[in-house]
Amino acid sequence: MSLRVTFLGTSGAVPTVERNPSGVFVAREGDSLLFDAAEGTQRQMMRFATGFDVSHLFVTHDHGDHVLGIPGLLQTMAFNDRERPLTIHVPPGARRRVRSLAFALDARLSFNVDVVEVRPGEVAHSADEYEVRTFRTDHDTSSVGYALVEDERKGRFDRERAEELGVPVGPKFSRLHEGNPVELDDGTVVRPEEVVGEPRPGRSVVYTGDTRPTAETVAVADEPDLLIHDATFADDRADRAAETAHSTARQAAEIANRADARRLALVHLSSRYAGDPSAHEAEARETFAGEADRVFVPDDGDEVEIPFRDA
């Protein structure tokens, strides 16, 4: 079951030749989700072949470098005769502004657009086998972060043990794996815990948007497989990060350590670093435990496939 992240935009507020402002595309087994939509997002989606069949757009906050791509994206969807509705999730207080932006050019779209406010600590979107949770972030406007968290999976079925206990190959295997006891021809009852292992964790992706470091980022998911964290500045601009409600790469790594994240992606780089993110990676790797490749600054268009931990 595929879970793939495509980085559409990794720059801070100002686009550069190499980097577009914020946008993250997540594809999960047929579902397409978009997190933030800066100017140029639709072109990035074309460049990197993600497709436009997005069902939900999750906006972290309504600063221009996170939302100015919405009008063009909606119009392109309409030009393609889209009929499927789109839900845009926004933080508290942002609904009116984002809706006005979405329909600034043309209110006659071929599909319904629903703009809904979500508060920290809620489930913004619940789907089959996963949900998208919100959490508090600390920016200089109303903002939230989002975490895609999959459900736990069934434990592994021990076929050899089941056969040892006399369970015939067939439907009773499935019943046991579904958590139901079965009775054998001789009256013996075999219970699921005898042949099914402990539940296995699903996968999770956490996206902060713009924020200072927060404890809520640590708590929203258990050992996230990928933490995508604001790293606007390196240590040389730590004071500036605090003043503008952003994080440094080192602070992002500290959060990743506390969250026991498996990998850390540093995004929203200030244009002053866009051509050379080496300081970000070096400072984060000094702090983030484990292998060096667990920390990276993605380029626009980079894809990350998220495997199951027990794969």
Side-chain angles (χ1 to χ4, degrees):
M1 184 176 291
S2 175
L3 177 61
R4 185 178 66 256
V5 175
T6 303
F7 294 93
L8 300 177
T10 56
S11 178
V14 180
T16 71
V17 174
E18 298 87 4
R19 300 180 185 274
N20 206 66
S22 296
V24 176
F25 184 92
V26 177
R28 184 196 179 275
E29 201 63 19
D31 288 355
S32 297
L33 311 174
L34 181 60
F35 295 82
D36 285 333
E39 60 179 295
T41 291
Q42 64 168 323
R43 186 170 184 276
Q44 298 292 82
M45 295 168 79
M46 295 173 190
R47 286 182 66 196
F48 306 128
T50 63
F52 289 106
D53 193 24
V54 173
S55 57
H56 292 263
L57 166 56
F58 301 90
V59 173
T60 59
H61 62 289
D62 63 1
H63 285 169
D65 58 319
H66 294 256
V67 299
L68 286 178
I70 293 175
L73 177 60
L74 297 185
Q75 286 212 325
T76 294
M77 289 176 171
F79 290 153
N80 290 329
D81 298 321
R82 178 187 174 113
E83 296 181 354
R84 185 183 183 188
L86 173 70
T87 302
I88 303 177
H89 307 265
V90 301
R95 181 181 184 275
R96 179 183 59 81
R97 293 188 295 275
V98 171
R99 182 170 177 79
S100 296
L101 175 67
F103 293 99
L105 301 179
D106 191 348
R108 297 168 297 174
L109 296 174
S110 61
F111 58 98
N112 183 65
V113 176
D114 192 15
V115 183
V116 298
E117 291 188 358
V118 289
R119 298 185 177 280
E122 295 181 349
V123 174
H125 173 54
S126 182
D128 186 26
E129 299 183 342
Y130 74 93
E131 62 186 21
V132 178
R133 304 171 183 170
T134 61
F135 60 97
R136 187 187 75 86
T137 53
D138 182 10
H139 198 39
D140 58 3
T141 187
S142 179
S143 64
V144 293
Y146 297 97
L148 186 156
V149 181
E150 291 183 333
D151 298 344
E152 282 190 332
R153 296 173 296 143
K154 301 171 188 173
R156 293 192 183 279
F157 183 76
D158 189 340
R159 175 177 177 143
E160 183 177 344
R161 177 58 178 158
E163 291 179 347
E164 288 176 356
L165 293 172
V167 181
V169 176
K172 289 183 178 179
F173 276 18
S174 298
R175 290 187 60 195
L176 284 164
H177 205 189
E178 292 293 336
N180 302 303
V182 299
E183 184 174 347
L184 307 183
D185 291 342
D186 63 2
T188 302
V189 175
V190 178
R191 302 192 176 279
E193 55 267 26
E194 297 180 79
V195 294
V196 180
E198 292 295 317
R200 295 170 292 164
R203 297 161 295 185
S204 57
V205 177
V206 176
Y207 173 56
T208 65
D210 297 3
T211 185
R212 298 183 180 96
T214 70
E216 286 81 359
T217 304
V218 175
V220 70
D222 183 28
E223 299 181 8
D225 294 278
L226 178 63
L227 171 60
I228 306 170
H229 201 288
D230 177 355
T232 306
F233 298 101
D235 284 349
D236 64 334
R237 295 290 190 279
D239 291 346
R240 181 67 176 158
E243 292 169 6
T244 58
H246 288 291
S247 296
T248 66
R250 191 180 302 277
Q251 288 171 330
E254 290 168 352
I255 291 295
N257 268 343
R258 292 171 57 193
D260 290 324
R262 300 189 73 193
R263 298 191 75 187
L264 169 64
L266 305 169
V267 296
H268 202 266
L269 271 66
S270 167
S271 57
R272 74 177 68 242
Y273 307 101
D276 181 14
S278 58
H280 282 66
E281 291 183 331
E283 290 164 10
R285 286 170 179 166
E286 288 175 1
T287 302
F288 189 43
E291 300 297 325
D293 64 357
R294 293 177 65 200
V295 178
F296 64 104
V297 175
D299 293 323
D300 287 10
D302 282 356
E303 292 184 351
V304 175
E305 195 77 34
I306 311 294
F308 288 109
R309 298 175 204 177
D310 57 343

